[in-house]
Amino acid sequence: MSMSTMTERRRALLAALPAGLLLGTLAPVARAAQPRRQAPRVVSVGAGVTEIVYALGGQSQLLAVDTSSLYPPQALALPKVGYQRTLSAEGVLSLGPQVLLAGQEAGPPAVLRQIESAGVKVVHVDGDYTFEGVLGRIGTVAAALGRQAEGRTLADGLSSRWQALRARIAAAPLRGPGGQPLRVACLMRHGANTMAAGRDTGADAMLKLVGAVNVFGGDFANYKPLSAESLASAAPDAIVGTFDGTQEPDARARLLATPGLAMTPAGRNQRAVLFDIVLLLGFGPRLPQAVEDLYGALGA
Amino acid sequence: MPAAWLFVVLAVLLAVLVVVAAGRGAYPISASNVLAILLHKAGLSQGGFEPQQMGVLWTIRLPRVMLGVAVGALLGMAGATLQGLFRNPLADPGLIGVSSGAALAVALTIVFGNLWWPALAQAMGLALLPVAAFAGGVLTTLLVYRIGRTSLGVSVAAMLLAGIAMNAIAMALIGLASYMATDEQLRNLTFWNLGSLAPATWPIVGVVSLVGAVALAGMWRLRSGLNAMALGEAEARHLGVAVESLKILAVVFSALAVGMAVAFCGIIGFLGLVAPHCIRLMAGPDARIVLPGAALLGAALTVAADLVARLIIAPAELPIGVLTALIGAPFFLFLLLRAKGRMFEG
């Protein structure tokens, strides 16, 4: 979005403030009878939360998002309230929302408390790395937006797609060269370092959902720097690499060049797939699609 | 510059910055509404503004500006005290271990708090980090002081070296904690290290002001002793200064001051080092001028840095630690370049 449209948006917002004040003073009775507006305006914090707002068709209620909300592309054009863990109370309030949709990582807690004390409803959109977690988050966001009907439609559609997908994966599980369940490492590059996903991560949950085994799932929790030797000794059958936003042309070649990989079955068979990290770890309404894509890519 | 003029200029600068900082922010509140809200709070008038404007100004913005004044003054004066005590222009509050001790305690609390003492962590809630930071900072400083103590009294040189070693140990342990941290914990830690005035509330302003007033008064009482120390420890003793008690009081009061700041705002770098130097470059080394001058300048720089942090990328905001250095360092370099001919060539 260009600077001028942003200023215009803000100006429109400012212009709306005195009007709202006037209405508030003229119609106190009407307000008391109908305390909450039908379509509350919201600020959405968290990539998965923003995806849910769009999937529910609630984008007209969306005032701003955080910097992690990269999907859908239209979200990029909205004003940004900054990094999700360091929100600014005044910044969020200046946009005039009635509701703040706070994803799991939204914070700091003191700022959320300040926002709440200024009369904005803070809705925590929590839940784990499961399909049921996604359904729960959809229900929470739908209720906060006043779009319960859309929420039920979305959840029903996703559920039937999910059941079919589960059946498909159970019927044809991913197998390694020896016929055992496919053993996969999920790697992320941070500068010169390669980080591997351990247990309690979104990547670990995704591997489980496609019926694969995370080779580091038993070794450590969270994401840890990985040495060439530990990658070689873990001997994954396949690896999943990630990219952020746009995929660089030589990304796959660089993933295959990860030190130690050449000594593993994954390296020998060139079994490496690249995945958009927002899709892979979003755990939003695109979860069935992400699982289907990952299952297909690893099975190929 | 004559001292009286310097104080007038600094006090006016601080007052102007406080007024501007109270009036400006991401949330639009016109100057007349700011005045109306303040008059309303004083019970002199009512109405003329939206309730949410009053909420933002009174519960979010004003405590934040006031916390900036208090924390900046504490860091500035603590820096001046420690530079005087160590007779070392590179001394800053980090040197006696306050900052690194606090940072280590915070790192351990963020990473292991819910693992080791879940009940305690739950019960303390938002107070957990400030208490951990304050305790960690003060305990580390006392340890540094204890290491520096010899049979003949406290060796300032030994304390300096012990402080450097404690910093190294703390940094290594923070590195270890970072390695074991989850992504979320790691980022919380990073942002704590960059400092922020965002958690400010009136109770926090109250605690920092009360404890801070004790620390500021304590440091101010050391002014003649610190002036004598500038001549050398033996000379100070001959002048009748109780050198040993001066040392412990300087350490205790500056640890108290920096501990308060670090506890609630994380690490706001650079102020304690540079504010006293700026005053010295402008008005000479007399502790009677440098101590209050550094407090005033520290407060002004903090309020200015926080104002920029809040406005520059609104509705988001930058960590203040980034801006204190970005605003303070060029100002310091300017003073240094201007004074260079006088001080080092003449």
Side-chain angles (χ1 to χ4, degrees):
Chain A
M1 178 187 283
S2 71
M3 223 30 221
S4 66
T5 34
M6 205 139 126
T7 335
E8 264 165 41
R9 188 188 292 272
R10 210 165 285 170
R11 226 173 258 150
L13 212 68
L14 290 185
L17 282 178
L21 185 64
L22 196 66
L23 278 177
T25 48
L26 287 179
V29 185
R31 250 167 56 139
Q34 195 184 13
R36 186 151 288 281
R37 288 179 36 170
Q38 282 306 301
R41 288 164 300 165
V42 303
V43 169
S44 166
V45 175
V49 181
T50 304
E51 280 194 36
I52 294 174
V53 173
Y54 276 89
L56 293 170
Q59 54 269 36
S60 60
Q61 291 165 252
L62 198 54
L63 295 169
V65 296
D66 73 307
T67 49
S68 78
S69 296
L70 300 172
Y71 186 90
Q74 300 93 286
L76 296 173
L78 288 172
K80 294 277 178 284
V81 292
Y83 179 61
Q84 52 184 342
R85 284 186 228 272
T86 58
L87 297 174
S88 150
E90 251 195 69
V92 170
L93 293 172
S94 72
L95 299 157
Q98 275 104 39
V99 174
L100 174 70
L101 295 172
Q104 210 138 24
E105 294 170 357
V111 167
L112 294 185
R113 201 172 280 193
Q114 287 173 344
I115 291 172
E116 204 154 27
S117 73
V120 172
K121 192 171 163 200
V122 176
V123 175
H124 294 275
V125 189
D126 297 335
D128 48 15
Y129 293 130
T130 60
F131 181 69
E132 289 67 36
V134 174
L135 290 184
R137 286 190 282 275
I138 288 173
T140 308
V141 173
L145 291 172
R147 293 181 168 266
Q148 286 87 342
E150 288 90 336
R152 277 188 293 275
T153 313
L154 178 64
D156 290 346
L158 288 178
S159 293
S160 54
R161 187 175 171 189
W162 185 250
Q163 297 312 329
L165 188 59
R166 297 302 300 162
R168 204 181 122 199
I169 293 173
L174 295 169
R175 295 291 180 204
Q180 85 289 12
L182 189 71
R183 302 175 70 254
V184 182
C186 184
L187 307 180
M188 286 168 198
R189 191 175 283 278
H190 284 253
N193 271 336
T194 301
M195 310 279 280
R199 88 189 103 79
D200 304 335
T201 59
D204 184 70
M206 283 299 287
L207 291 178
K208 283 204 185 88
L209 286 174
V210 297
V213 175
N214 180 5
V215 290
F216 298 111
D219 295 341
F220 51 82
N222 307 310
Y223 296 89
K224 290 280 178 281
L226 184 69
S227 71
E229 265 188 49
S230 31
L231 180 57
S233 78
D237 300 321
I239 53 169
V240 176
T242 58
F243 61 91
D244 206 342
T246 50
Q247 185 178 349
E248 289 160 39
D250 61 339
R252 190 160 181 277
R254 283 200 311 194
L255 179 63
L256 282 168
T258 305
L261 189 65
M263 282 162 266
T264 68
R268 282 194 293 273
N269 302 324
Q270 304 272 295
R271 216 165 164 185
V273 297
L274 273 160
F275 230 78
D276 180 356
I277 194 163
V278 184
L279 177 59
L280 183 71
L281 304 181
F283 282 86
R286 288 190 297 158
L287 179 65
Q289 186 201 328
V291 168
E292 190 170 1
D293 288 1
L294 185 61
Y295 175 72
L298 284 173
Chain B
M1 196 187 303
W5 273 111
L6 181 73
F7 286 132
V8 170
V9 169
L10 285 175
V12 169
L13 177 72
L14 178 60
V16 169
L17 280 168
V18 165
V19 170
V20 173
R24 297 296 307 276
Y27 193 97
I29 308 173
S30 68
S32 59
N33 278 1
V34 169
L35 199 64
I37 293 166
L38 291 181
L39 288 175
H40 172 76
K41 277 289 170 187
L44 293 175
S45 79
Q46 45 190 317
F49 50 85
E50 281 183 77
Q52 198 175 52
Q53 289 187 330
M54 185 168 85
V56 168
L57 184 72
W58 192 256
T59 63
I60 296 175
R61 200 185 289 167
L62 276 182
R64 188 170 174 157
V65 174
M66 290 303 137
L67 189 63
V69 172
V71 161
L74 287 170
L75 290 175
M77 204 192 253
T81 304
L82 290 173
Q83 284 172 10
L85 176 69
F86 286 108
R87 280 176 287 134
N88 184 326
L90 287 178
D92 83 341
L95 207 62
I96 52 168
V98 197
S99 310
S100 55
L104 176 60
V106 163
L108 293 177
T109 310
I110 287 179
V111 178
F112 302 114
N114 276 318
L115 217 62
W116 292 348
W117 319 283
L120 185 69
Q122 286 297 317
M124 292 180 66
L126 290 183
L128 181 66
L129 282 190
V131 170
F134 186 75
V138 171
L139 284 178
T140 312
T141 306
L142 292 180
L143 192 60
V144 166
Y145 180 81
R146 183 69 191 76
I147 294 171
R149 210 165 69 186
T150 67
S151 55
L152 298 172
V154 173
S155 157
V156 167
M159 258 180 80
L160 197 91
L161 293 174
I164 290 171
M166 290 302 289
N167 281 345
I169 294 172
M171 286 306 140
L173 292 177
I174 292 169
L176 190 64
S178 314
Y179 177 78
M180 303 175 75
T182 66
D183 218 35
E184 176 182 354
Q185 293 166 338
L186 197 58
R187 283 170 196 243
N188 285 343
L189 199 56
T190 310
F191 282 104
W192 188 86
N193 274 319
L194 289 172
S196 173
L197 296 175
T201 59
W202 285 120
I204 290 179
V205 173
V207 169
V208 174
S209 305
L210 280 178
V211 179
V214 172
L216 289 177
M219 290 187 278
W220 171 241
R221 286 188 54 205
L222 304 176
R223 59 194 183 279
S224 334
L226 288 174
N227 272 340
M229 278 289 276
L231 304 170
E233 211 175 309
E235 287 79 357
R237 205 164 272 135
H238 288 309
L239 286 170
V241 175
V243 173
E244 291 312 313
S245 78
L246 173 78
K247 285 176 192 165
I248 188 158
L249 288 176
V251 168
V252 165
F253 287 126
S254 46
L256 201 59
V258 181
M260 268 293 121
V262 170
F264 292 104
C265 305
I267 296 196
I268 300 180
F270 202 68
L271 275 177
L273 176 65
V274 148
H277 279 300
C278 290
I279 302 299
R280 242 175 254 125
L281 287 170
M282 287 186 286
D286 186 348
R288 289 172 301 178
I289 296 159
V290 175
L291 285 177
L296 281 172
L297 184 63
L301 277 175
T302 309
V303 172
D306 187 53
L307 179 65
V308 177
R310 289 192 282 129
L311 288 179
I312 192 164
I313 53 166
E317 69 183 45
L318 278 178
I320 188 174
V322 176
L323 286 156
T324 45
L326 271 182
I327 293 175
F331 179 52
F332 177 57
L333 282 178
F334 161 76
L335 289 177
L336 189 65
L337 285 174
R338 226 189 43 170
K340 196 169 60 171
R342 217 162 6 103
M343 283 176 56
F344 304 118
E345 287 164 14

